[in-house]
Amino acid sequence: MSNKPWQAIYPEQIPAVLSYEDKPLYSFLKESAEEFPDKVSIHFQGKELTFREVHESALKFAAYLKSIGLQKGERVAVMLPNCPQGVISFFGILMAGGVVVQTNPTYTERELEYQMKDSGAKMILVMDILFPRVSAVASRTDIEHIIVTAIKEYLPFPKNLIYPFIQKKQYGIVINVEHEGNHHLFSEIMKRKITEEVDTVPIDVNNDLALLQYTGGTTGFPKGVMLTHKNLLANTKMCNAWLYKNKRGEERILAILPFFHVYGMTTVLVLSVMEGNTMIIMPKFDVEATLKTIQKQKPTMFPGAPTMYIGLLNHPDIAKYDLSSINACISGSASLPLEVQEQFEKITGGKLVEGYGLSETSPVTHANFIWDQPRVKGSVGLPWPDTDSAILSLESNEELPPNEIGEIAIKGPQVMKGYWNRPDETEKTFKNGWLLTGDLGYMDEQGFFYVVERKKDTIIAGGFNIYPREVEEVLYEHEAIQEVVVAGIPDPYRGETVKAYVVLKKNARVTEEELNEFARKNLASYKVPRSYEFRDELPKTTIGKILRRVLIEEEKKKISEERKEA
Protein backbone atom coordinates (compact mmCIF):
# COMPACT_ATOMS: atom_id res chain seq x y z
CA MET A 1 0.00 0.00 0.00
CA SER A 2 1.22 3.50 -0.81
CA ASN A 3 2.32 5.59 2.13
CA LYS A 4 0.39 8.42 0.49
CA PRO A 5 -3.15 7.01 0.48
CA TRP A 6 -4.64 10.37 -0.52
CA GLN A 7 -3.19 10.10 -4.01
CA ALA A 8 -5.61 7.24 -4.76
CA ILE A 9 -8.57 9.61 -4.51
CA TYR A 10 -7.07 12.56 -6.38
CA PRO A 11 -9.25 13.45 -9.39
CA GLU A 12 -7.48 12.80 -12.69
CA GLN A 13 -7.08 16.55 -13.26
CA ILE A 14 -4.72 16.90 -10.26
CA PRO A 15 -1.30 15.32 -10.81
CA ALA A 16 0.44 13.85 -7.77
CA VAL A 17 3.78 15.19 -9.00
CA LEU A 18 4.37 18.61 -10.55
CA SER A 19 7.24 20.08 -12.53
CA TYR A 20 8.84 23.35 -11.49
CA GLU A 21 10.71 25.80 -13.68
CA ASP A 22 14.20 26.70 -12.55
CA LYS A 23 13.56 30.43 -12.60
CA PRO A 24 13.00 33.24 -10.10
CA LEU A 25 9.58 34.52 -9.09
CA TYR A 26 10.03 37.84 -10.88
CA SER A 27 10.23 36.04 -14.23
CA PHE A 28 6.49 35.31 -14.06
CA LEU A 29 5.65 39.01 -14.07
CA LYS A 30 7.74 39.47 -17.21
CA GLU A 31 6.06 36.49 -18.91
CA SER A 32 2.55 37.70 -18.07
CA ALA A 33 3.46 41.20 -19.29
CA GLU A 34 4.57 39.68 -22.61
CA GLU A 35 1.52 37.39 -22.93
CA PHE A 36 -1.10 39.82 -21.59
CA PRO A 37 0.46 43.30 -22.02
CA ASP A 38 -2.81 45.25 -22.12
CA LYS A 39 -4.80 43.07 -19.75
CA VAL A 40 -5.72 44.55 -16.35
CA SER A 41 -3.41 43.16 -13.68
CA ILE A 42 -4.61 45.39 -10.82
CA HIS A 43 -7.95 47.03 -10.13
CA PHE A 44 -7.71 49.37 -7.14
CA GLN A 45 -10.57 51.63 -6.09
CA GLY A 46 -11.42 52.36 -9.74
CA LYS A 47 -7.80 52.71 -10.93
CA GLU A 48 -6.48 50.01 -13.27
CA LEU A 49 -2.94 48.97 -14.19
CA THR A 50 -2.06 46.59 -17.01
CA PHE A 51 0.51 43.82 -16.73
CA ARG A 52 2.86 45.91 -18.89
CA GLU A 53 2.51 48.88 -16.52
CA VAL A 54 3.10 46.75 -13.42
CA HIS A 55 6.18 45.14 -14.98
CA GLU A 56 7.65 48.48 -16.07
CA SER A 57 7.00 49.96 -12.61
CA ALA A 58 8.71 46.98 -10.94
CA LEU A 59 11.73 47.46 -13.22
CA LYS A 60 11.91 51.15 -12.25
CA PHE A 61 11.76 50.25 -8.57
CA ALA A 62 14.45 47.58 -8.97
CA ALA A 63 16.76 49.98 -10.78
CA TYR A 64 16.28 52.64 -8.12
CA LEU A 65 16.99 50.25 -5.25
CA LYS A 66 20.24 49.23 -6.94
CA SER A 67 21.12 52.89 -7.57
CA ILE A 68 20.91 53.67 -3.82
CA GLY A 69 23.08 50.71 -2.93
CA LEU A 70 20.96 47.59 -2.50
CA GLN A 71 23.13 44.49 -2.76
CA LYS A 72 22.01 40.95 -3.50
CA GLY A 73 20.60 39.23 -0.41
CA GLU A 74 19.97 42.42 1.54
CA ARG A 75 16.56 42.84 3.14
CA VAL A 76 13.98 45.46 2.18
CA ALA A 77 10.95 45.91 4.44
CA VAL A 78 7.50 46.65 2.99
CA MET A 79 5.05 48.23 5.45
CA LEU A 80 1.88 48.72 3.42
CA PRO A 81 -1.77 47.76 3.36
CA ASN A 82 -2.90 46.03 0.17
CA CYS A 83 -2.33 48.47 -2.69
CA PRO A 84 -0.64 48.53 -6.12
CA GLN A 85 2.64 49.65 -4.54
CA GLY A 86 2.71 46.36 -2.61
CA VAL A 87 2.68 44.33 -5.84
CA ILE A 88 5.15 46.57 -7.66
CA SER A 89 7.62 46.66 -4.76
CA PHE A 90 7.45 42.90 -4.14
CA PHE A 91 8.62 42.08 -7.67
CA GLY A 92 10.94 45.10 -7.85
CA ILE A 93 12.81 44.02 -4.72
CA LEU A 94 13.22 40.49 -6.10
CA MET A 95 14.44 41.86 -9.47
CA ALA A 96 17.11 43.82 -7.62
CA GLY A 97 18.22 40.68 -5.79
CA GLY A 98 16.76 41.76 -2.47
CA VAL A 99 14.77 39.83 0.11
CA VAL A 100 11.29 41.06 0.99
CA VAL A 101 10.46 41.56 4.67
CA GLN A 102 6.70 41.95 4.89
CA THR A 103 5.81 44.17 7.85
CA ASN A 104 2.36 44.51 9.34
CA PRO A 105 1.31 48.18 9.01
CA THR A 106 -0.45 48.05 12.40
CA TYR A 107 2.81 47.35 14.24
CA THR A 108 3.68 49.68 17.10
CA GLU A 109 7.15 51.23 17.35
CA ARG A 110 8.20 48.47 19.73
CA GLU A 111 7.17 45.68 17.34
CA LEU A 112 8.58 47.46 14.30
CA GLU A 113 11.94 48.05 15.97
CA TYR A 114 12.22 44.38 16.92
CA GLN A 115 11.52 43.17 13.38
CA MET A 116 13.87 45.68 11.74
CA LYS A 117 16.69 44.79 14.13
CA ASP A 118 16.16 41.08 13.71
CA SER A 119 15.94 41.17 9.91
CA GLY A 120 18.70 43.75 9.46
CA ALA A 121 16.62 45.49 6.79
CA LYS A 122 18.57 48.29 5.09
CA MET A 123 15.58 49.92 3.39
CA ILE A 124 11.87 50.22 4.04
CA LEU A 125 8.92 51.19 1.85
CA VAL A 126 6.22 52.73 4.02
CA MET A 127 2.82 54.41 3.67
CA ASP A 128 3.02 58.14 4.37
CA ILE A 129 0.87 58.04 7.54
CA LEU A 130 3.31 55.47 9.00
CA PHE A 131 6.39 57.57 8.25
CA PRO A 132 6.56 59.12 11.77
CA ARG A 133 6.53 55.64 13.33
CA VAL A 134 9.34 54.41 11.10
CA SER A 135 11.37 57.60 11.61
CA ALA A 136 11.13 57.19 15.38
CA VAL A 137 12.86 53.79 15.33
CA ALA A 138 15.11 54.03 12.25
CA SER A 139 18.18 55.28 14.12
CA ARG A 140 18.08 52.23 16.41
CA THR A 141 18.05 49.81 13.46
CA ASP A 142 20.04 49.16 10.27
CA ILE A 143 17.59 51.16 8.14
CA GLU A 144 19.50 53.52 5.85
CA HIS A 145 16.77 54.54 3.39
CA ILE A 146 13.06 55.24 3.87
CA ILE A 147 10.87 55.23 0.76
CA VAL A 148 7.49 56.89 1.25
CA THR A 149 4.33 56.35 -0.76
CA ALA A 150 0.66 57.35 -0.44
CA ILE A 151 -2.68 55.76 -1.24
CA LYS A 152 -3.64 58.76 -3.40
CA GLU A 153 -0.88 57.94 -5.90
CA TYR A 154 -2.94 55.08 -7.30
CA LEU A 155 -6.43 56.51 -6.95
CA PRO A 156 -8.37 57.72 -10.01
CA PHE A 157 -9.46 61.32 -10.43
CA PRO A 158 -11.12 62.88 -8.42
CA LYS A 159 -10.52 60.40 -5.56
CA ASN A 160 -6.81 61.25 -5.63
CA LEU A 161 -7.61 64.89 -4.88
CA ILE A 162 -10.19 64.18 -2.19
CA TYR A 163 -8.28 61.47 -0.31
CA PRO A 164 -5.70 63.75 1.41
CA PHE A 165 -8.56 65.64 3.09
CA ILE A 166 -10.14 62.38 4.22
CA GLN A 167 -6.77 61.21 5.53
CA LYS A 168 -6.22 64.44 7.47
CA LYS A 169 -9.65 64.15 9.07
CA GLN A 170 -9.19 60.45 9.86
CA TYR A 171 -5.64 60.53 11.21
CA GLY A 172 -5.24 64.17 12.16
CA ILE A 173 -1.87 64.50 10.44
CA VAL A 174 -0.43 65.72 7.17
CA ILE A 175 2.86 64.13 6.09
CA ASN A 176 5.28 66.07 3.93
CA VAL A 177 8.47 64.26 2.93
CA GLU A 178 11.02 65.64 0.47
CA HIS A 179 12.70 63.42 -2.11
CA GLU A 180 16.24 64.03 -0.89
CA GLY A 181 19.02 62.44 1.15
CA ASN A 182 17.91 59.16 2.74
CA HIS A 183 14.22 59.92 2.20
CA HIS A 184 12.72 58.91 -1.12
CA LEU A 185 9.31 59.31 -2.72
CA PHE A 186 7.79 56.38 -4.58
CA SER A 187 5.97 58.79 -6.88
CA GLU A 188 9.29 60.34 -7.96
CA ILE A 189 10.82 56.90 -8.56
CA MET A 190 7.91 56.04 -10.86
CA LYS A 191 8.61 59.16 -12.97
CA ARG A 192 12.02 57.80 -13.99
CA LYS A 193 12.47 56.40 -17.47
CA ILE A 194 13.37 52.77 -18.02
CA THR A 195 16.81 52.45 -19.53
CA GLU A 196 18.62 49.52 -21.06
CA GLU A 197 20.80 49.32 -17.97
CA VAL A 198 17.93 47.83 -15.95
CA ASP A 199 19.04 44.26 -15.43
CA THR A 200 17.47 41.79 -13.07
CA VAL A 201 19.84 40.01 -10.69
CA PRO A 202 20.52 36.29 -11.36
CA ILE A 203 18.93 34.06 -8.73
CA ASP A 204 19.63 30.56 -7.43
CA VAL A 205 15.99 29.60 -6.97
CA ASN A 206 16.69 26.70 -4.62
CA ASN A 207 18.83 28.63 -2.16
CA ASP A 208 18.33 32.39 -2.57
CA LEU A 209 15.73 33.87 -0.26
CA ALA A 210 12.72 35.71 -1.64
CA LEU A 211 10.98 36.40 1.65
CA LEU A 212 11.50 36.68 5.40
CA GLN A 213 8.03 35.97 6.78
CA TYR A 214 7.81 36.69 10.49
CA THR A 215 5.97 34.25 12.70
CA GLY A 216 6.00 33.21 16.34
CA GLY A 217 7.13 30.09 18.10
CA THR A 218 7.92 28.47 21.40
CA THR A 219 9.82 31.55 22.58
CA GLY A 220 6.83 33.78 21.89
CA PHE A 221 8.98 36.21 19.91
CA PRO A 222 8.52 36.45 16.13
CA LYS A 223 11.04 34.55 14.03
CA GLY A 224 11.96 35.17 10.41
CA VAL A 225 10.89 32.21 8.29
CA MET A 226 13.34 31.90 5.36
CA LEU A 227 11.39 31.20 2.18
CA THR A 228 13.26 30.76 -1.09
CA HIS A 229 12.08 31.55 -4.61
CA LYS A 230 11.53 27.78 -5.04
CA ASN A 231 9.41 27.54 -1.87
CA LEU A 232 6.96 30.21 -3.03
CA LEU A 233 7.02 29.05 -6.65
CA ALA A 234 6.25 25.46 -5.63
CA ASN A 235 3.36 26.39 -3.33
CA THR A 236 1.84 28.65 -5.97
CA LYS A 237 2.07 25.89 -8.59
CA MET A 238 0.41 23.49 -6.15
CA CYS A 239 -2.39 25.98 -5.57
CA ASN A 240 -2.89 26.36 -9.30
CA ALA A 241 -3.04 22.58 -9.76
CA TRP A 242 -5.69 22.32 -7.03
CA LEU A 243 -7.74 25.00 -8.84
CA TYR A 244 -7.77 22.95 -12.04
CA LYS A 245 -11.02 24.43 -13.37
CA ASN A 246 -9.60 27.96 -13.32
CA LYS A 247 -8.70 29.35 -16.73
CA ARG A 248 -5.41 31.13 -17.30
CA GLY A 249 -5.88 34.85 -17.89
CA GLU A 250 -9.62 34.75 -17.21
CA GLU A 251 -9.99 34.75 -13.42
CA ARG A 252 -10.63 37.77 -11.21
CA ILE A 253 -9.23 37.42 -7.69
CA LEU A 254 -10.58 39.39 -4.73
CA ALA A 255 -7.44 40.53 -2.93
CA ILE A 256 -8.48 41.28 0.65
CA LEU A 257 -6.14 38.85 2.39
CA PRO A 258 -3.19 41.00 3.49
CA PHE A 259 -0.11 40.69 1.30
CA PHE A 260 1.97 40.96 4.49
CA HIS A 261 0.56 37.52 5.37
CA VAL A 262 2.13 34.72 3.31
CA TYR A 263 -1.31 33.22 2.61
CA GLY A 264 -2.35 36.40 0.82
CA MET A 265 0.99 36.66 -0.92
CA THR A 266 0.97 33.13 -2.36
CA THR A 267 -2.70 32.47 -3.15
CA VAL A 268 -3.46 35.99 -4.34
CA LEU A 269 -0.44 38.10 -5.32
CA VAL A 270 1.94 35.52 -6.81
CA LEU A 271 -0.76 33.23 -8.22
CA SER A 272 -2.56 36.11 -9.95
CA VAL A 273 0.62 37.34 -11.62
CA MET A 274 1.77 33.83 -12.54
CA GLU A 275 -1.56 33.01 -14.22
CA GLY A 276 -2.23 36.39 -15.83
CA ASN A 277 -5.32 36.98 -13.69
CA THR A 278 -6.73 40.27 -12.43
CA MET A 279 -6.39 41.26 -8.77
CA ILE A 280 -9.22 43.32 -7.33
CA ILE A 281 -7.31 44.89 -4.47
CA MET A 282 -8.92 46.18 -1.27
CA PRO A 283 -6.72 47.80 1.42
CA LYS A 284 -8.73 46.30 4.28
CA PHE A 285 -11.75 44.12 4.96
CA ASP A 286 -14.95 46.10 5.33
CA VAL A 287 -18.20 44.14 5.09
CA GLU A 288 -20.29 46.62 3.12
CA ALA A 289 -17.43 47.71 0.85
CA THR A 290 -16.68 44.04 0.13
CA LEU A 291 -20.29 43.26 -0.79
CA LYS A 292 -20.41 46.26 -3.12
CA THR A 293 -17.07 45.32 -4.70
CA ILE A 294 -18.13 41.73 -5.35
CA GLN A 295 -21.36 42.88 -6.98
CA LYS A 296 -19.64 45.47 -9.17
CA GLN A 297 -16.29 43.84 -10.00
CA LYS A 298 -17.51 40.23 -10.13
CA PRO A 299 -14.52 38.31 -8.76
CA THR A 300 -14.43 34.58 -9.52
CA MET A 301 -12.13 33.70 -6.61
CA PHE A 302 -12.20 34.90 -3.00
CA PRO A 303 -9.43 33.40 -0.81
CA GLY A 304 -10.14 34.47 2.74
CA ALA A 305 -10.45 33.73 6.44
CA PRO A 306 -13.55 32.48 8.29
CA THR A 307 -14.13 35.88 9.91
CA MET A 308 -14.55 37.45 6.47
CA TYR A 309 -17.19 34.95 5.37
CA ILE A 310 -18.95 35.22 8.75
CA GLY A 311 -18.94 39.01 8.54
CA LEU A 312 -20.54 38.96 5.09
CA LEU A 313 -23.17 36.40 6.09
CA ASN A 314 -24.17 38.46 9.11
CA HIS A 315 -24.74 41.65 7.12
CA PRO A 316 -28.47 42.42 7.27
CA ASP A 317 -28.66 43.37 3.59
CA ILE A 318 -26.61 40.52 2.10
CA ALA A 319 -29.64 39.33 0.10
CA LYS A 320 -29.63 42.62 -1.83
CA TYR A 321 -26.21 41.88 -3.35
CA ASP A 322 -25.35 39.62 -6.26
CA LEU A 323 -22.43 37.40 -5.21
CA SER A 324 -22.97 34.76 -7.89
CA SER A 325 -19.69 35.50 -9.72
CA ILE A 326 -17.71 33.66 -7.02
CA ASN A 327 -16.73 30.15 -8.11
CA ALA A 328 -14.10 29.16 -5.55
CA CYS A 329 -12.88 30.14 -2.09
CA ILE A 330 -10.18 28.50 -0.01
CA SER A 331 -10.48 29.46 3.63
CA GLY A 332 -7.38 29.49 5.81
CA SER A 333 -5.85 30.74 9.08
CA ALA A 334 -8.56 29.27 11.36
CA SER A 335 -11.11 26.45 11.39
CA LEU A 336 -14.09 26.96 9.10
CA PRO A 337 -17.48 26.23 10.73
CA LEU A 338 -19.61 23.87 8.62
CA GLU A 339 -22.63 26.16 8.95
CA VAL A 340 -20.66 29.09 7.51
CA GLN A 341 -19.42 26.94 4.63
CA GLU A 342 -22.92 25.77 3.71
CA GLN A 343 -24.52 29.21 4.03
CA PHE A 344 -21.86 30.92 1.94
CA GLU A 345 -22.10 28.30 -0.80
CA LYS A 346 -25.88 28.63 -0.85
CA ILE A 347 -25.70 32.42 -1.29
CA THR A 348 -22.90 32.50 -3.89
CA GLY A 349 -23.44 29.23 -5.71
CA GLY A 350 -19.67 28.74 -5.55
CA LYS A 351 -17.51 26.39 -3.49
CA LEU A 352 -15.92 27.25 -0.13
CA VAL A 353 -13.43 24.77 1.32
CA GLU A 354 -11.01 24.73 4.20
CA GLY A 355 -7.27 24.48 3.88
CA TYR A 356 -4.34 24.13 6.27
CA GLY A 357 -0.79 25.34 6.45
CA LEU A 358 1.67 27.58 8.23
CA SER A 359 4.18 30.29 7.47
CA GLU A 360 6.96 27.71 7.48
CA THR A 361 5.33 25.99 4.47
CA SER A 362 4.75 29.00 2.20
CA PRO A 363 1.97 28.41 3.58
CA VAL A 364 -0.46 25.73 2.26
CA THR A 365 0.03 21.99 2.77
CA HIS A 366 -3.52 20.56 2.83
CA ALA A 367 -6.94 21.46 1.45
CA ASN A 368 -10.27 19.89 0.72
CA PHE A 369 -11.22 19.29 -2.90
CA ILE A 370 -13.10 22.22 -4.38
CA TRP A 371 -14.94 20.47 -7.19
CA ASP A 372 -16.40 17.10 -8.15
CA GLN A 373 -15.38 15.27 -4.99
CA PRO A 374 -17.23 14.38 -1.77
CA ARG A 375 -16.58 16.58 1.27
CA VAL A 376 -15.32 15.22 4.57
CA LYS A 377 -16.79 17.05 7.54
CA GLY A 378 -14.27 18.41 10.05
CA SER A 379 -11.21 17.65 7.93
CA VAL A 380 -8.64 20.18 6.73
CA GLY A 381 -8.31 18.03 3.63
CA LEU A 382 -5.55 16.07 1.93
CA PRO A 383 -1.91 16.95 1.26
CA TRP A 384 -1.30 18.91 -1.93
CA PRO A 385 0.75 17.54 -4.86
CA ASP A 386 4.40 16.82 -4.00
CA THR A 387 3.52 17.23 -0.32
CA ASP A 388 4.06 14.40 2.13
CA SER A 389 2.43 14.49 5.53
CA ALA A 390 2.36 12.16 8.49
CA ILE A 391 1.25 11.91 12.10
CA LEU A 392 4.27 11.42 14.35
CA SER A 393 4.34 10.04 17.87
CA LEU A 394 5.05 12.72 20.48
CA GLU A 395 7.30 10.27 22.31
CA SER A 396 9.33 8.65 19.52
CA ASN A 397 8.72 10.76 16.37
CA GLU A 398 7.74 7.49 14.64
CA GLU A 399 4.90 7.54 12.11
CA LEU A 400 1.55 6.55 13.61
CA PRO A 401 -1.15 4.48 11.88
CA PRO A 402 -4.49 6.01 10.81
CA ASN A 403 -6.80 7.48 13.47
CA GLU A 404 -4.11 7.85 16.14
CA ILE A 405 -3.41 11.33 17.46
CA GLY A 406 0.07 12.75 17.22
CA GLU A 407 1.91 15.74 15.76
CA ILE A 408 1.26 16.72 12.13
CA ALA A 409 4.51 16.73 10.15
CA ILE A 410 5.26 17.94 6.61
CA LYS A 411 7.75 17.34 3.80
CA GLY A 412 7.73 19.09 0.45
CA PRO A 413 9.35 21.73 -1.78
CA GLN A 414 7.30 24.47 -0.07
CA VAL A 415 8.96 23.81 3.32
CA MET A 416 11.15 26.66 4.55
CA LYS A 417 14.93 26.75 4.53
CA GLY A 418 14.90 27.49 8.27
CA TYR A 419 14.59 30.34 10.75
CA TRP A 420 16.63 33.49 10.16
CA ASN A 421 19.71 33.52 12.42
CA ARG A 422 18.19 30.82 14.66
CA PRO A 423 19.96 27.50 13.93
CA ASP A 424 18.87 26.00 17.27
CA GLU A 425 15.20 26.76 16.60
CA THR A 426 15.57 25.37 13.08
CA GLU A 427 17.10 22.15 14.38
CA LYS A 428 14.27 21.69 16.92
CA THR A 429 11.63 22.16 14.21
CA PHE A 430 12.99 19.45 11.90
CA LYS A 431 13.12 15.75 12.79
CA ASN A 432 14.34 13.14 10.30
CA GLY A 433 13.54 15.45 7.41
CA TRP A 434 10.03 16.23 8.70
CA LEU A 435 8.92 19.74 9.59
CA LEU A 436 7.08 19.54 12.91
CA THR A 437 4.03 21.80 12.78
CA GLY A 438 3.29 21.97 16.50
CA ASP A 439 -0.31 20.93 15.74
CA LEU A 440 -1.90 17.75 17.07
CA GLY A 441 -4.11 15.76 14.75
CA TYR A 442 -4.78 12.47 13.03
CA MET A 443 -5.22 11.00 9.54
CA ASP A 444 -7.99 8.64 8.47
CA GLU A 445 -7.58 5.61 6.19
CA GLN A 446 -8.20 7.65 3.02
CA GLY A 447 -5.58 10.24 3.89
CA PHE A 448 -7.81 13.06 5.13
CA PHE A 449 -6.20 15.02 7.97
CA TYR A 450 -7.89 16.45 11.05
CA VAL A 451 -6.50 19.07 13.44
CA VAL A 452 -7.37 18.31 17.06
CA GLU A 453 -5.48 20.97 18.95
CA ARG A 454 -2.48 23.27 18.64
CA LYS A 455 0.52 21.99 20.50
CA LYS A 456 1.73 25.54 20.72
CA ASP A 457 -0.36 28.13 22.49
CA THR A 458 -0.72 30.38 19.46
CA ILE A 459 -3.99 32.28 19.41
CA ILE A 460 -5.60 32.73 15.99
CA ALA A 461 -8.02 35.65 16.14
CA GLY A 462 -9.62 36.97 12.97
CA GLY A 463 -7.01 35.15 10.91
CA PHE A 464 -4.04 36.74 12.71
CA ASN A 465 -1.53 34.76 14.75
CA ILE A 466 -1.10 36.13 18.25
CA TYR A 467 1.59 34.80 20.53
CA PRO A 468 0.62 34.87 24.24
CA ARG A 469 4.06 35.48 25.60
CA GLU A 470 4.49 38.61 23.46
CA VAL A 471 1.30 40.07 24.96
CA GLU A 472 2.27 38.91 28.45
CA GLU A 473 5.71 40.57 28.17
CA VAL A 474 4.01 43.90 27.50
CA LEU A 475 1.47 43.56 30.32
CA TYR A 476 4.19 42.52 32.76
CA GLU A 477 5.71 45.97 32.26
CA HIS A 478 2.70 47.54 33.96
CA GLU A 479 3.68 48.43 37.51
CA ALA A 480 0.45 47.05 39.05
CA ILE A 481 0.74 43.53 37.63
CA GLN A 482 2.25 40.69 39.61
CA GLU A 483 1.28 37.79 37.38
CA VAL A 484 -0.48 37.54 34.04
CA VAL A 485 -1.33 34.83 31.58
CA VAL A 486 -2.92 35.35 28.17
CA ALA A 487 -5.12 32.76 26.49
CA GLY A 488 -7.26 32.38 23.40
CA ILE A 489 -10.90 31.80 24.28
CA PRO A 490 -13.68 30.80 21.84
CA ASP A 491 -15.29 33.65 19.94
CA PRO A 492 -18.13 33.18 17.42
CA TYR A 493 -16.76 35.86 15.05
CA ARG A 494 -12.97 35.91 15.39
CA GLY A 495 -12.58 32.16 16.01
CA GLU A 496 -10.65 33.00 19.14
CA THR A 497 -10.21 36.20 21.08
CA VAL A 498 -7.53 37.31 23.53
CA LYS A 499 -8.22 37.27 27.24
CA ALA A 500 -5.79 38.23 30.00
CA TYR A 501 -5.96 36.74 33.49
CA VAL A 502 -4.31 39.11 35.96
CA VAL A 503 -3.04 38.93 39.53
CA LEU A 504 -2.26 42.38 40.95
CA LYS A 505 0.53 43.28 43.34
CA LYS A 506 -0.49 43.77 46.94
CA ASN A 507 -2.38 47.05 47.43
CA ALA A 508 -2.10 47.85 43.71
CA ARG A 509 -5.15 49.15 41.87
CA VAL A 510 -5.79 49.28 38.14
CA THR A 511 -8.93 49.15 36.02
CA GLU A 512 -9.63 47.14 32.89
CA GLU A 513 -9.81 50.40 30.94
CA GLU A 514 -6.37 51.48 32.16
CA LEU A 515 -4.82 48.13 31.22
CA ASN A 516 -6.47 48.33 27.81
CA GLU A 517 -5.04 51.81 27.22
CA PHE A 518 -1.57 50.60 28.30
CA ALA A 519 -1.73 47.58 25.97
CA ARG A 520 -2.84 49.65 22.98
CA LYS A 521 0.25 51.84 23.30
CA ASN A 522 2.53 48.84 22.95
CA LEU A 523 0.70 46.30 20.80
CA ALA A 524 -0.99 46.18 17.41
CA SER A 525 -4.74 46.44 17.92
CA TYR A 526 -5.48 42.80 17.01
CA LYS A 527 -3.15 41.59 19.80
CA VAL A 528 -4.74 43.70 22.56
CA PRO A 529 -6.80 41.60 25.03
CA ARG A 530 -10.52 41.97 24.53
CA SER A 531 -11.21 41.22 28.18
CA TYR A 532 -9.42 41.03 31.52
CA GLU A 533 -10.18 38.89 34.53
CA PHE A 534 -8.67 39.80 37.90
CA ARG A 535 -7.84 36.84 40.15
CA ASP A 536 -6.23 36.27 43.53
CA GLU A 537 -4.12 33.47 42.05
CA LEU A 538 -3.62 31.53 38.83
CA PRO A 539 -3.72 27.72 38.44
CA LYS A 540 -0.20 26.25 38.45
CA THR A 541 1.73 23.00 38.37
CA THR A 542 3.71 21.84 41.38
CA ILE A 543 6.79 23.53 39.95
CA GLY A 544 4.98 26.84 39.49
CA LYS A 545 4.18 26.80 35.77
CA ILE A 546 0.92 28.60 35.01
CA LEU A 547 -1.68 26.22 33.53
CA ARG A 548 -3.07 28.18 30.59
CA ARG A 549 -5.05 25.14 29.41
CA VAL A 550 -7.02 24.99 32.69
CA LEU A 551 -8.18 28.58 32.17
CA ILE A 552 -9.25 27.84 28.59
CA GLU A 553 -11.22 24.78 29.72
CA GLU A 554 -12.92 26.86 32.43
CA GLU A 555 -13.89 29.40 29.80
CA LYS A 556 -15.29 26.74 27.45
CA LYS A 557 -17.32 25.22 30.29
CA LYS A 558 -18.71 28.62 31.21
CA ILE A 559 -19.73 29.30 27.59
CA SER A 560 -21.35 25.86 27.36
CA GLU A 561 -23.38 26.43 30.53
CA GLU A 562 -24.49 29.87 29.34
CA ARG A 563 -25.73 28.34 26.08
CA LYS A 564 -27.72 25.69 27.96
CA GLU A 565 -29.38 28.36 30.11
CA ALA A 566 -30.21 30.40 27.01
Side-chain angles (χ1 to χ4, degrees), residues 336-565:
L336 177 69
L338 181 63
E339 183 183 354
V340 173
Q341 181 185 39
E342 292 176 343
Q343 277 189 294
F344 197 77
E345 289 189 337
K346 185 177 179 181
I347 286 174
T348 63
K351 296 294 184 182
L352 170 59
V353 300
E354 184 172 358
Y356 170 81
L358 52 162
S359 298
E360 288 86 343
T361 56
S362 305
V364 189
T365 60
H366 299 64
N368 281 279
F369 291 126
I370 300 171
W371 300 292
D372 307 326
Q373 299 292 322
R375 256 213 284 271
V376 178
K377 183 179 177 181
S379 171
V380 295
L382 305 108
W384 272 9
D386 287 325
T387 303
D388 198 0
S389 188
I391 304 296
L392 303 185
S393 164
L394 297 176
E395 289 77 32
S396 64
N397 285 319
E398 296 294 319
E399 289 188 43
L400 294 174
N403 300 310
E404 287 198 24
I405 293 175
E407 184 166 2
I408 301 172
I410 310 292
K411 287 180 183 176
Q414 74 272 53
V415 173
M416 68 170 182
K417 196 172 181 179
Y419 293 115
W420 178 254
N421 290 335
R422 284 175 170 78
D424 293 343
E425 289 282 340
T426 301
E427 189 176 349
K428 281 190 284 185
T429 304
F430 286 94
K431 287 288 182 289
N432 301 321
W434 290 104
L435 172 80
L436 303 180
T437 66
D439 288 334
L440 303 181
Y442 65 94
M443 180 188 75
D444 67 18
E445 290 84 355
Q446 286 188 299
F448 283 89
F449 281 72
Y450 303 77
V451 177
V452 175
E453 181 183 10
R454 283 184 300 279
K455 183 180 165 189
K456 301 171 187 174
D457 291 316
T458 307
I459 301 165
I460 303 180
F464 290 104
N465 285 5
I466 301 164
Y467 306 100
R469 183 172 171 181
E470 188 182 9
V471 182
E472 290 162 5
E473 292 282 349
V474 168
L475 293 176
Y476 265 119
E477 292 180 11
H478 194 285
E479 58 185 13
I481 290 180
Q482 178 174 305
E483 285 185 322
V484 62
V485 62
V486 167
I489 62 171
D491 181 274
Y493 180 65
R494 302 177 82 213
E496 288 182 312
T497 196
V498 185
K499 182 171 182 176
Y501 299 83
V502 177
V503 176
L504 297 179
K505 294 175 182 175
K506 192 174 180 179
N507 299 323
R509 295 287 182 271
V510 67
T511 65
E512 187 170 335
E513 290 73 23
E514 288 169 341
L515 282 181
N516 189 58
E517 184 178 349
F518 178 81
R520 286 189 178 280
K521 288 179 180 176
N522 294 288
L523 291 165
S525 59
Y526 68 88
K527 299 179 186 177
V528 174
R530 292 299 192 265
S531 62
Y532 299 79
E533 184 173 323
F534 296 94
R535 294 192 167 207
D536 293 328
E537 59 182 12
L538 297 172
K540 296 174 183 171
T541 64
T542 53
I543 59 171
K545 183 180 179 181
I546 297 173
L547 293 167
R548 181 183 283 110
R549 179 56 50 191
V550 171
L551 295 168
I552 294 171
E553 290 305 319
E554 286 178 8
E555 205 71 40
K556 287 180 178 178
K557 186 178 179 182
K558 190 193 307 179
I559 291 170
S560 178
E561 288 171 353
E562 287 173 354
R563 284 176 180 167
K564 286 178 184 177
E565 291 173 3

Side-chain angles (χ1 to χ4, degrees), residues 85 128 150-156 159-161 163-164 167:
Q85 299 95 311
D128 55 353
I151 288 286
K152 68 177 182 180
E153 292 166 20
Y154 286 91
L155 290 177
K159 287 183 182 178
N160 59 339
L161 300 180
Y163 188 80
Q167 185 170 283

Side-chain angles (χ1 to χ4, degrees), residues 92-112:
I93 292 165
L94 299 182
M95 287 173 177
V99 179
V100 178
V101 181
Q102 290 285 9
T103 303
N104 191 324
T106 68
Y107 272 177
T108 62
E109 289 182 13
R110 174 196 186 109
E111 294 161 320
L112 177 62

